[in-house]
Each structure stands twice: as C-alpha cells, then as structure tokens.
Amino acid sequence: MSEAHERYDVTIIGGGPAGMYAAFYAGMRDMKVKLIEGKDCLGGFLHQYREKMIWDVGGLPPMRCEQLIEWLSLQAQTFQPSLVFNRRVDGLERLGDGTLRLRTDNGDTHDTQTVIVAVGRGITEMTKLDIEGAERYELTNLHYTVQDLARFRGKRVLISGGGNSAVDWANELAEVAGELIVVHRRDQFHAMEGSIARMRKVADVRTPYQLHKLHGSGEAIHVVSVVHAESGAEERIAVDEVVVSHGYAKDYGDLLHWGMDIGHKGIRVSQQTETNLPGIFAAGDCADYDNKVSLIAGAFTDAVLAVNRAMRYINADAPGMAYVSSHNEKFRQLNRQLTQQHEDAPSRL
Ligand SMILES: Cc1cc2nc3c(=O)[nH]c(=O)nc-3n(C[C@H](O)[C@H](O)[C@H](O)COP(=O)(O)OP(=O)(O)OC[C@H]3O[C@@H](n4cnc5c(N)ncnc54)[C@H](O)[C@@H]3O)c2cc1C
C-alpha cells in the first residue's frame, strides 16, 4: 500500500470520453493530472459498440468507434497525465489541509486537490445469462457484445434482447449474417420506431420468447431452446452464433457513500458541474443537470466546464477558461513538429 506521495491538481475518475477529454484539457491548462480507470484501457462505454459507425461527433467524418477510441486516447495523453489502470476508486477522505485522498480497491491512495468524477454508468458489466453452463461458451460463440462483425458473416445468428442495443445490433448484423433470429421476452421493443420497423423486415422476430437452454458440444452452442413466455411451449433453434443483449448493471460502488447528491439519473451538479462536495466535480454521463446532453459531445463540454471549475477551486484568480488551442503557447513546439512532419510526408494538414 502506498500512502505518502505527490499531490495532483486534479484526479479524474474514469477513462471514457469525459475523462479522456478532461485529461487533455486539464493538461492544456498546465494542471498536474492523474486519471484512474477501473478497466485495463481508455475508452469507457465506447468499447461496448466499438464496431459501430459514429456520425455525430462534431467535425469528424463517420468512423468506426474503435478509431474514435484510438484518437481520443492519443489526445488524452498529449500532456502525459499519470494513468492508473485496473483500479476502481472506492474511498474518499478529506485531510486537514484540504487535500482529497482517494482510495482504490487495492488499498492504494491518491492525493489530489480536486476530483473530476467521470464514471459514466459506473463499472458496467453486461447482464449475463442465468443459464447453467453458459459461461463456458463465452470463449466461443456466446457474445455479450459484438466486437467483430466479420465473424458473423453468412452465419445463423440469434440475438436475445429488446432494448436499443439489441435492436441496433440486429440491424447491423443483418448486413452480414446469413440468417437472423431475434427473441425477446416481451412483444414490445424499447428502441427507435424506425429501427424496430427495419429490424422486423430483416430478422425473424419471435416474441414473447425467452432463452431457456443452450445445447452444445461443450465447445460451442449448436441449438438454443426458447420458451414462450405465456404458454410455456418450447422451441429449438439451430444457431452458429448467439448474441445476448440484456442490458448492464449500473454500479457506482462506494462512490454512493461519499455524500454526493445522487438521484436516479446520476450525480446532481450545478450547470458548472459542481457537486455538493467542495472540490469535487462530475462530467459526462454520470452528471445530472437540467438539459443535460448524454452524448460524446456533451461529455466533452462537461469536461471543459469541470476542468475550468477545478482550476478556479485551486486558484480563485485563475482565468475562467484556457486560451483557445489556435493561440495557445503550449502548442507552439508541437505545431512545429506537425508542420515538419507534413513537409516530410504531406498529409491532411
Ligand atoms: C448503445 C449506445 C450507443 C451510443 N452511441 C452513441 C453515438 O453514436 N454518439 C454519441 O455521441 N454517443 C453515443 N452513446 C452515448 C456515449 O457512449 C456516452 O455518452 C459516453 O460514453 C459517455 O462518456 P463518459 O466518459 O461519461 O462515460 P463512460 O463512457 O461510461 O466511461 C466511464 C468510465 O469510468 C470507469 N469507471 C466507472 N466507475 C469507476 C470507478 N469507481 N473507478 C475507476 N473507473 C471507473 C468505467 O470503467 C468507464 O471506463 C451511445 C450509448 C449507448 C448505450
């Protein structure tokens, strides 16, 4: 356990879009930055749909989400923040001199003047099938997220679920799968009307049915039994791949005990991302305020607001925001390098 260590200006909890952009922007403001992420890499919830095309991030051409993860990760590391992976932040203590001491699940402590909570939905785990022996197929043809569309090409794919993600995946997989069956335990789907209508055209939709048993060799599932939610009648469906999209559990863990004002939509913050705890700000999907935009673009804006408030918390005389990047001295040397690279190998500059 490490106790005595250097104090950071800001420690960001969570490495999703909000946390990554906060790390970049705080670096731009010359802050000493640490980012702690519970998983083993940056990207946050974007990893759940890394194969999907993203169109709605301002100024960027449509691209696969995995590309966006890569670019955001690179940008986050522009000013070399200290990155800590595979550590979930649990504890908070306020020391006599105002230092905030965070404690991670392995007992390590991290001292900081301010905290930006950017935990999205918390440490999310996909809701797994409660069917005996299901876990053994996770290595082969039982999927809780779709990582690689190519693997489903020409195959007989069964999707179980009725929410946005299930419907989206059905439409996406319809482009490559040989045959697509969607089962859902209710007759109604919770997704955009247009997406549901499209899914009904491209997939064999069976409702109200629930996954009941997986039949396989032990290595792969070959047949799935589904039961009718009302009559109990059982059907067997031959499959090559099974995708389960039953949502995920939202888990803020011990952050719930810090004394933050947390409602059913997230951590209540002011329009300036301030929580009710001094020095602690919240950004991205976990932050709840009026007219909140729960998109990647909204996460970026929250990150800027949170960093600027954190800066002011440390030094009340600090400017309200950073100098824009086009006129910011911090980029002078980097711009020279980029211009040189362009001269050596012309690109889009
Ligand atoms: C199916 C789906 C599709 C979407 N498509 C789009 C789209 O096309 N365009 C768009 O703009 N938005 C889209 N969104 C919304 C977008 O994904 C979110 O707005 C965005 O991910 C929010 O980023 P965030 O940084 O706030 O949280 P997250 O991305 O959820 O990241 C939070 C991070 O915090 C970490 N964490 C949590 N608790 C702790 C802890 N205690 N200690 C350490 N680390 C912790 C988590 O592991 C995670 O990495 C979509 C959302 C969904 C569900």
Side-chain angles (χ1 to χ4, degrees):
M1 197 190 335
S2 63
E3 284 291 340
H5 35 54
E6 51 190 327
R7 187 172 74 160
Y8 283 76
D9 294 329
V10 60
T11 297
I12 299 158
I13 309 174
M20 287 188 283
Y21 198 71
F24 166 74
Y25 196 82
M28 199 164 122
R29 297 216 64 176
D30 278 328
M31 295 175 94
K32 191 172 154 71
V33 183
K34 182 181 273 187
L35 185 152
I36 306 175
E37 165 56 50
K39 302 227 161 133
D40 61 0
C41 59
L42 294 172
F45 203 76
L46 305 192
H47 285 284
Q48 299 301 335
Y49 52 98
R50 46 183 300 129
E51 275 278 324
K52 297 195 74 161
M53 296 295 287
I54 304 292
W55 286 75
D56 53 356
V57 179
L60 291 181
M63 67 180 71
R64 283 208 190 282
C65 196
E66 60 193 347
Q67 175 71 75
L68 182 61
I69 295 173
E70 194 184 322
W71 285 0
L72 281 172
S73 308
L74 281 174
Q75 186 183 41
Q77 293 172 74
T78 309
F79 302 108
Q80 288 99 41
S82 167
L83 298 176
V84 178
F85 290 114
N86 293 313
R87 294 284 176 263
R88 191 187 65 222
V89 175
D90 287 333
L92 168 74
E93 188 186 346
R94 197 177 291 272
L95 307 185
D97 65 355
T99 297
L100 298 167
R101 176 162 287 175
L102 297 172
R103 190 174 295 273
T104 50
D105 51 349
N106 66 336
D108 280 354
T109 56
H110 303 265
D111 287 356
T112 185
Q113 297 203 65
T114 62
V115 173
I116 296 179
V117 182
V119 296
R121 298 159 174 79
I123 304 271
T124 49
E125 297 298 342
M126 304 315 280
T127 308
K128 302 239 171 144
L129 277 185
D130 189 15
I131 293 181
E132 208 189 320
E135 62 288 344
R136 90 178 91 127
Y137 297 114
E138 287 179 32
L139 292 173
T140 55
N141 64 344
L142 174 61
H143 314 273
Y144 290 100
T145 181
V146 176
Q147 297 286 1
D148 176 17
L149 276 180
R151 124 172 230 137
F152 297 88
R153 190 167 299 283
K155 294 197 178 160
R156 191 175 160 92
V157 183
L158 181 139
I159 301 182
S160 173
N164 258 311
S165 294
V167 173
D168 276 3
W169 282 125
N171 286 326
E172 203 90 19
L173 284 165
E175 307 276 334
V176 293
E179 199 177 331
L180 190 64
I181 303 122
V182 176
V183 294
H184 178 37
R185 64 198 162 109
R186 299 207 176 87
D187 287 324
Q188 288 78 31
F189 287 84
H190 285 283
M192 305 237 302
E193 276 176 15
S195 306
I196 298 171
R198 183 168 137 61
M199 174 189 73
R200 289 193 184 279
K201 279 191 196 138
V202 294
D204 170 5
V205 177
R206 304 192 192 179
T207 63
Y209 277 98
Q210 201 162 344
L211 288 195
H212 179 53
K213 269 188 195 149
L214 308 175
H215 309 274
S217 57
E219 277 183 13
I221 307 163
H222 301 307
V223 171
V224 165
S225 289
V226 295
V227 285
H228 193 276
E230 286 148 18
S231 70
E234 190 168 325
E235 258 187 58
R236 289 164 75 94
I237 305 172
V239 292
D240 297 316
E241 305 284 345
V242 178
V243 178
V244 173
S245 180
H246 290 178
Y248 44 82
K250 189 171 182 173
D251 182 9
Y252 286 158
D254 286 348
L255 270 62
L256 288 171
H257 308 302
W258 287 12
M260 285 187 290
D261 179 7
I262 302 183
H264 70 282
K265 287 190 189 158
I267 303 166
R268 285 297 305 169
V269 293
S270 69
Q271 292 287 337
Q272 302 288 331
T273 71
E274 296 144 318
T275 70
N276 56 318
L277 303 182
I280 301 186
F281 308 86
D285 276 7
C286 66
D288 175 31
Y289 54 91
D290 291 346
N291 303 315
K292 162 85 191 160
V293 176
S294 296
L295 285 174
I296 297 164
F300 294 163
T301 307
D302 286 359
V304 172
L305 289 169
V307 168
N308 287 337
R309 293 315 289 177
M311 190 82 183
R312 275 274 174 88
Y313 179 83
I314 295 170
N315 172 9
D317 296 328
M321 59 182 287
Y323 218 37
V324 287
S325 65
S326 53
H327 290 77
N328 193 312
E329 276 304 308
K330 281 194 81 79
F331 294 104
R332 191 176 289 279
Q333 179 60 26
L334 294 170
N335 288 343
R336 267 196 221 109
Q337 287 165 10
L338 287 173
T339 309
Q340 186 60 49
Q341 277 168 20
H342 172 65
E343 280 166 15
D344 295 345
S347 66
R348 280 174 295 140
L349 257 193

